[in-house]
Amino acid sequence: MTATPIQIIGAALFAIAILHTFATKFFEKLAHAGPRHAGLWHLLGEIEVVFGFWAMVLMVAMFALLGSAPAIDYIESRNFTEPMFVFAIMVIAGTRPILQAASALVALIARALPLPGSAAAYFTVLLLVPLLGSFITEPAAMTLAALILRDQFFTRGISPRLMYATLSVLFVNISIGGTLTPFAAPPVLMVAGPWGWDIHFMLSQFGWKAAIAVSINALGATLLFYRELAALAPAPRDGTIPRVPLVLTLVHVLFLCGVVVFAHHPAIFMGLFLFFLGVAHAYIRHQDRLILKEGLLVAFFLAGLVVLGGQQQWWLQPLLMSMSSDAVFIGATALTAFTDNAALTYLGSLVEGLSDDFKYALVAGAVTGGGLTIIANAPNPAGVSILKGSFSDEAVNPLGLLAAAIAPTLVAGVAFRLL
């Protein structure tokens, strides 16, 4: 396929943005070395800003080369429903009523496990919450898991090795844990309608395999760091924070469910979200700080990915379609590390006449590679925004994440291809 100049520029900027994600620590060091422009370097060191920044560069290039009308038409042709949804679901899932309810469920199950220290809670979070993502959506599950892990583990002085291992297992398990249903995982959602994949199909072809892989990954991480986790006492409950009334918790759960049910209708779920903000303000004594900043940054990241990703179809689709059904699994897993996995499956849904084996391999590969990088799966930036404060220089090293994610990714790959 012959590429237009703007498509070539878009591909180049996409490559630069990917390289930028691996260089965020460099900008943080510049901020410390040059106080005069520290604010700018800190901004460019924010992983959530990267794709939004380079998307704006692309738009400037489009205005300059094509004119205002084509540039505006391109922006208006993009679908920004997912960034808006992730923003709304992050804020609601990160509230004290939802977090207390989820933490209580984790504690209840953890008490039934014969594991010392914090090992039981650690295993339960990495097993239960990703699978719960099949019903409350992956972004909500990521937000809940990251907040629980932050409060019970990451802020309590655990080793960097444990932090990177936990983050990688969380990302992989969230990516595959949403495949029990056809509406929770973005890469599955893109193809479920066109290909007629219902909940029975997902459970029989993906769900049980994903549950096995999630269990193995959670257990493997727990056993690998068993000594450190066993020596870490369970996080004490803050007695100064009162319990949220049950009625208010149920109201929050209803808001969460409403946003999930209307996830494809931004006019409705954003209306519910604005109503939720009013309720949260009315009962502010039962709220912690709403994670509005974190949610907006993640939405900005995803919106930038939508804008830049729209210029990659000219090379990505022929590359995918040139592969056999056997090769596409490995290809999709690898490509997911460099582009959002939902974009891969969306391109596949546009092609007519694909075999059932090819369809399965494409989606299985896309969800398998969803934990390799921060941009591989839409909920990953949400997890990073919540947990990065515990890492050195408040930044997650992409190479460290990639190295730690190889083992759980292989477990997921084996489950989807050999079981």
Side-chain angles (χ1 to χ4, degrees):
M1 183 181 296
T2 302
T4 64
I6 202 65
Q7 287 176 326
I8 295 174
I9 292 173
L13 292 175
F14 188 75
I16 292 172
I18 291 172
L19 293 175
H20 188 162
T21 63
F22 285 85
T24 51
K25 279 204 169 187
F26 170 74
F27 289 103
E28 290 295 337
K29 291 178 180 178
L30 284 180
H32 294 297
R36 184 177 178 183
H37 300 291
L40 174 62
W41 301 133
H42 277 305
L43 178 67
L44 294 176
E46 292 278 358
I47 193 73
E48 297 90 347
V49 171
V50 171
F51 276 83
F53 173 81
W54 291 107
M56 287 193 294
V57 174
L58 173 64
M59 292 315 303
V60 170
M62 293 186 76
F63 271 95
L65 296 177
L66 304 179
S68 60
I72 293 172
D73 288 343
Y74 174 73
I75 283 291
E76 292 183 340
S77 70
R78 301 295 88 200
N79 186 349
F80 295 100
T81 298
E82 186 175 56
M84 288 190 289
F85 170 76
V86 171
F87 166 66
I89 207 73
M90 270 189 71
V91 175
I92 298 176
T95 55
R96 188 195 299 173
I98 297 294
L99 189 58
Q100 278 192 2
S103 298
L105 178 61
V106 168
L108 179 65
I109 297 175
R111 282 196 295 269
L113 300 177
L115 296 172
S118 296
Y122 180 84
F123 172 74
T124 304
V125 173
L126 290 182
L127 171 65
L128 175 66
V129 183
L131 294 177
L132 187 63
S134 283
F135 306 95
I136 64 172
T137 74
E138 288 185 352
M142 179 68 80
T143 303
L144 282 174
L147 287 169
I148 295 172
L149 289 170
R150 183 196 65 185
D151 295 341
Q152 297 191 17
F153 298 95
F154 279 63
T155 57
R156 302 181 65 205
I158 62 175
S159 67
R161 287 184 64 242
L162 178 54
M163 285 195 288
Y164 275 102
T166 304
L167 191 63
S168 65
V169 170
L170 174 65
F171 281 6
V172 174
N173 279 6
I174 289 288
S175 181
I176 64 177
T179 60
L180 278 69
T181 61
F183 62 82
V188 174
L189 189 59
M190 293 295 182
V191 301
W195 292 349
W197 288 5
D198 57 13
I199 191 168
H200 177 266
F201 176 88
M202 292 306 302
L203 282 172
S204 62
Q205 299 298 316
F206 287 89
W208 67 275
K209 301 173 188 178
I212 291 174
V214 166
S215 302
I216 293 174
N217 284 338
L219 181 61
T222 303
L223 294 177
L224 184 62
F225 294 93
Y226 181 79
R227 185 172 298 179
E228 182 175 354
L229 292 168
L232 186 67
R237 179 182 176 271
D238 190 344
T240 64
I241 300 178
R243 285 289 183 185
V244 178
L246 178 60
V247 173
L248 187 60
T249 299
L250 292 176
V251 169
H252 278 62
V253 171
L254 287 175
F255 274 116
L256 184 70
C257 292
V259 171
V260 170
V261 169
F262 295 104
H264 307 299
H265 306 281
I268 298 179
F269 75 67
M270 286 304 293
L272 287 171
F273 175 70
L274 293 174
F275 187 20
F276 158 79
L277 290 179
V279 173
H281 182 73
Y283 294 93
I284 196 168
R285 66 186 181 277
H286 294 299
Q287 295 289 353
D288 299 316
R289 179 186 68 86
L290 297 180
I291 56 173
L292 294 169
K293 174 189 172 183
E294 293 85 346
L296 285 171
L297 281 173
V298 171
F300 184 58
F301 179 98
L302 295 175
L305 194 57
V306 168
V307 173
L308 280 174
Q311 295 296 325
Q312 314 311 315
Q313 184 174 353
W314 67 273
W315 65 268
L316 192 54
Q317 184 169 337
L319 180 62
L320 277 177
M321 297 308 109
S322 67
M323 298 178 184
S324 66
S325 58
D326 292 327
V328 76
F329 176 80
I330 298 175
T333 301
L335 285 170
T336 289
F338 303 103
T339 184
D340 180 57
N341 54 11
L344 293 181
T345 58
Y346 171 71
L347 293 175
S349 70
L350 301 178
V351 179
E352 299 290 339
L354 296 180
S355 68
D356 290 340
D357 289 341
F358 189 98
K359 293 176 182 177
Y360 173 87
L362 177 62
V363 175
V367 298
T368 295
L372 290 171
T373 62
I374 296 169
I375 67 171
N377 192 30
N380 291 358
V384 169
S385 71
I386 293 168
L387 295 172
K388 68 180 181 181
S390 301
F391 288 83
S392 173
D393 296 326
E394 295 190 0
V396 175
N397 187 328
L399 291 177
L401 173 63
L402 178 64
I406 290 175
T409 298
L410 288 175
V411 170
V414 170
F416 283 127
R417 292 305 288 171
L418 299 183
L419 294 183

